Amino acid sequence: MAKRAPGEPIVIKKYANRRLYNTESSSYITLDAIATMVRDNKEFEVVDAKTGEDITHQILTQIIMERENSGGKQMLPVSFLRDLIGMYGNSMQALMPTYLETSMANFRKNREELASAFQQGMAGNPLARIAETNMAMMRAATEAFIPGAGRKPEASSEGRPEARPEARKDDEIAALREQMAAMQKKLDTLGD
């Protein structure tokens, strides 16, 4: 096993034959093993064995693609993917990495606080207020990424939930597109 200094990431080498080699354990590993390392919060970097180039981003993207195509439940909604692809090449692209990192950090923090509050018991606990705030923030985040997801169906005159009319949904999407276009126009003029 290769020794690494404390705080240094584990180095994983990718060879031309597409195999991944963990230099810490001196063994070949799979993408699933790398996914487990991510879940276990282990710091690592993946480098091309021939060039030494850092290809961690490519490998992590490959793991996401495999998970999304595995036939199980997909995590990334099509509307989110379309919006994300639409951001490439425009002035919003530079803002997205920081925005996404901050959103995920807040999501993790809220999830941890909420889990802690539930473990300690919600009744009569001062953390109940934090949990309520966290739930509201998660609903807002869900609404930001999947418009309309956080809303309850409207009730009919008999008190039963009604399905949302498609026309109203299309109007909401059109309004969001107009807002995005206006934001894009403002950002483009700021860049001039």
Side-chain angles (χ1 to χ4, degrees):
M1 284 192 199
K3 296 288 182 191
R4 64 181 172 95
E8 283 188 19
I10 298 167
V11 176
I12 299 169
K13 294 182 179 181
K14 182 179 183 203
Y15 289 94
N17 63 2
R18 301 172 70 173
R19 294 191 72 188
L20 298 163
Y21 185 78
N22 183 333
T23 59
E24 183 178 61
S25 65
S26 298
S27 62
Y28 287 100
I29 61 172
T30 63
L31 290 175
D32 285 337
I34 293 176
T36 300
M37 291 173 73
V38 170
R39 285 189 291 275
D40 293 343
N41 293 318
K42 290 187 178 178
E43 289 296 320
F44 65 88
E45 65 179 13
V46 183
V47 297
D48 184 289
K50 186 175 182 178
T51 65
E53 175 188 4
D54 184 342
I55 57 170
T56 307
H57 185 273
Q58 294 169 348
I59 296 298
L60 295 176
T61 303
Q62 185 178 351
I63 291 170
I64 292 169
M65 289 299 302
E66 285 192 5
R67 293 286 194 265
E68 287 290 305
N69 292 323
S70 68
K73 186 163 175 92
Q74 296 172 330
M75 186 184 313
L76 302 174
V78 171
S79 60
F80 173 78
L81 294 172
R82 287 178 192 259
D83 289 341
L84 192 59
I85 291 168
M87 298 286 178
Y88 283 96
N90 71 30
S91 57
M92 294 293 287
Q93 182 176 349
L95 301 174
M96 286 308 293
T98 304
Y99 174 76
L100 292 174
E101 285 178 354
T102 303
S103 296
M104 285 305 293
N106 286 333
F107 180 79
R108 280 190 302 273
K109 178 180 175 250
N110 291 338
R111 183 184 64 193
E112 290 165 5
E113 288 176 359
L114 184 60
S116 175
F118 279 123
Q119 286 176 350
Q120 294 180 11
M122 295 296 287
N125 191 318
L127 291 176
R129 196 173 289 145
I130 293 172
E132 289 173 5
T133 303
N134 289 339
M135 290 298 284
M137 291 173 69
M138 282 191 253
R139 280 192 295 274
T142 301
E143 180 68 25
F145 284 108
I146 309 168
R151 295 190 195 123
K152 294 181 181 175
E154 294 181 3
S156 67
S157 58
E158 294 86 26
R160 293 187 314 266
E162 283 186 335
R164 284 182 43 174
E166 281 301 307
R168 188 162 143 209
K169 185 176 180 181
D170 291 341
D171 290 345
E172 290 175 0
I173 291 171
L176 288 171
R177 285 188 176 137
E178 288 176 11
Q179 289 174 354
M180 290 286 289
M183 286 174 52
Q184 180 66 48
K185 190 174 181 179
K186 287 180 184 178
L187 287 169
D188 289 339
T189 57
L190 289 174
D192 293 338

